[in-house]
Amino acid sequence: MRHDRYPRVLLLAAAAAIPSLTLMPPAHAVTHVVATGVPAADEPVELPALRSRMGQDENCTGPSPVTAEAEPWTRRALGLSRSWQLSQGAGVTVGVVDTGVGAALPALAGRVEAPGDAGQDCVGHGSFAAGLIAAAPRPGTGVSGVAPQARVLAVRGTDQRGTGTGATVAAGIRAAVDGGARVVYVGQALLDGRAELTAAVAHATERDVLVVAPAAPDTAPKDAATGRPDTTPRPYFPAFIPQVLSVADHGQDGNRPNNAPGVFAPDLSAPGDGVVGVGPKGEGHFIGSGSSLAAAHTAGVAALVRARHPKLSAAEVARRLVAAAYPADTPRLDPYASLTAVLGGRAAKAPEVAEAHMTPDAPKGPRTRALVIAAAAGGFGLLVIGAVAVIPRGRARGWRAADR
């Protein structure tokens, strides 16, 4: 849903009531984190990269051999520890329309429903996204999801290799809605299928379900003529459909990565560069970047809000996320503000502040007299200074004019 339909918080209100995102300085090597089982020298270990799709001849993604110990920058930037004091997403089901979700993932144990073959994730992208949404904290690692008590409804929106179409994603959205999800995350950004996806989103809207999708794919499509990545901003679906919350990614410095696919009129921006999360199996971790991961973080925050404010409609939840976001060119997701902001009319408001009382203007008469006196005093002072400089010189010259 286009953010210009939902007015943002005034900058003054944001400064007074909305804590800004804590953005860490950009890292020089976001692909490295401290991991378990490292040598005594504590050398950083590189995490395997997340895949969004695979070739027909490639093996399915297995468990990562590396477990990240450090708390990722995304968790600090989102302020999750503070938000969890208010909500952890209990009672809310998030539909994950993607490549499937590993049903046996330890971080999601007991909270994944996966009809059909959706419990098998050959690619790993759906499992990674589900972990960003709802993974529970685990011993020995700082990696966790946004809403660790939410449930996940895994729905396949792609084929086994990660390729989705308008028809498969639309069917996935409908299945997630009919399966009881109150928030639906879509991992795909497509150039086609607008009619089918619009109808599926309308079905979600009628059932009061919020759909969250990436404003652009994680990897830019290739130009047909040159074969090079085409980063031109353009509408992608279902994100461009008005009722969908469209999300772009940003990195640790608040900016999008260089050469990232262009985004067209996103509603929100959320952490999406150098993101650490779970794989389709085991307890190890992967690292990835892209707007699909930013959308997963946003879907998790939507679950937090729906759990804390169960009477809010899907449209009201979307409005709250946008209105309470940290002001920027593209508003930055702020979970704590989304949970606590007081909405009035069509904008979020800060708690009321005591009215400032200005002293009345001074009467003009005394002010005018004071100015006259000050001017006269200043003029007299200039005369004195001039006399001090001129009289001695005049006396020395016998008060004669200077020789020409």
Side-chain angles (χ1 to χ4, degrees):
M1 58 189 57
R2 307 284 68 75
H3 65 263
D4 54 356
R5 297 188 182 186
Y6 298 91
R8 306 174 189 173
V9 184
L10 293 177
L11 182 59
L12 178 60
I18 300 176
S20 64
L21 297 179
T22 305
L23 296 174
M24 305 301 294
H28 294 291
V30 296
T31 56
H32 293 77
V33 296
V34 177
T36 58
V38 295
D42 286 335
E43 291 289 334
V45 177
E46 186 171 354
L47 294 174
L50 172 68
R51 303 287 299 275
S52 57
R53 62 182 60 185
M54 308 183 73
Q56 292 298 325
D57 58 347
E58 293 183 279
N59 294 327
C60 291
T61 301
S64 169
V66 184
T67 301
E69 291 181 344
E71 183 179 90
W73 75 271
T74 52
R75 178 169 168 175
R76 297 191 299 273
L78 291 169
L80 294 184
S81 297
R82 191 180 186 195
S83 297
W84 287 344
Q85 298 176 24
L86 303 174
S87 174
Q88 295 190 31
V92 176
T93 296
V94 179
V96 176
V97 181
D98 208 333
T99 61
V101 176
L105 277 174
L108 296 169
R111 292 183 291 121
V112 177
E113 180 183 354
D117 67 346
Q120 302 173 8
D121 184 7
C122 179
V123 179
H125 190 277
S127 299
F128 193 100
L132 297 182
I133 294 168
R138 302 281 297 170
T141 177
V143 179
S144 60
V146 174
Q149 292 183 5
R151 298 187 62 82
V152 170
L153 173 60
V155 179
R156 186 171 296 284
T158 70
D159 62 17
Q160 294 284 346
R161 297 290 165 169
T163 299
T165 65
T168 59
V169 173
I173 293 173
R174 290 179 179 274
V177 171
D178 295 341
R182 299 186 66 198
V183 177
V184 172
Y185 161 81
V186 177
Q188 302 289 305
L190 306 172
L191 290 171
D192 59 0
R194 179 172 188 168
E196 295 164 300
L197 291 167
T198 298
V201 171
H203 179 66
T205 302
E206 292 171 358
R207 301 292 186 90
D208 192 31
V209 177
L210 176 60
V211 179
V212 183
D218 295 346
T219 303
K222 291 185 178 180
D223 182 87
T226 65
R228 297 177 180 176
D230 183 359
T231 59
T232 305
R234 65 192 69 192
Y236 287 95
F237 299 95
F240 191 65
I241 298 169
Q243 293 78 18
V244 176
L245 195 60
S246 172
V247 187
D249 57 318
H250 67 247
Q252 298 182 58
D253 60 356
N255 299 315
R256 301 196 69 233
N258 294 330
N259 301 319
V263 293
F264 191 87
D267 297 308
L268 282 173
S269 174
D273 184 33
V275 178
V276 178
V278 299
K281 299 177 181 178
E283 298 199 27
H285 296 103
F286 292 76
I287 191 166
S289 297
S291 290
S292 71
L293 310 185
H297 282 133
T298 304
V301 176
L304 296 181
V305 173
R306 298 216 84 166
R308 180 169 172 81
H309 303 285
K311 294 183 179 180
L312 292 180
S313 68
E316 289 170 332
V317 172
R319 173 187 158 211
R320 175 177 285 268
L321 294 180
V322 175
Y326 183 76
D329 290 341
T330 300
R332 294 178 193 158
L333 181 68
D334 190 331
Y336 187 79
S338 298
L339 290 168
T340 59
V342 178
L343 295 185
R346 294 189 60 78
K349 299 190 303 183
E352 292 186 4
V353 180
E355 181 181 358
H357 295 283
M358 305 298 292
T359 56
D361 291 338
K364 293 184 178 180
R367 179 173 180 270
T368 302
R369 288 195 297 272
L371 290 174
V372 172
I373 293 172
F380 180 75
L382 290 175
L383 289 174
V384 170
I385 293 172
V388 169
V390 172
I391 291 174
R393 295 180 64 187
R395 287 177 176 173
R397 299 175 63 89
W399 298 104
R400 296 188 305 273
D403 294 334
R404 299 260 178 204

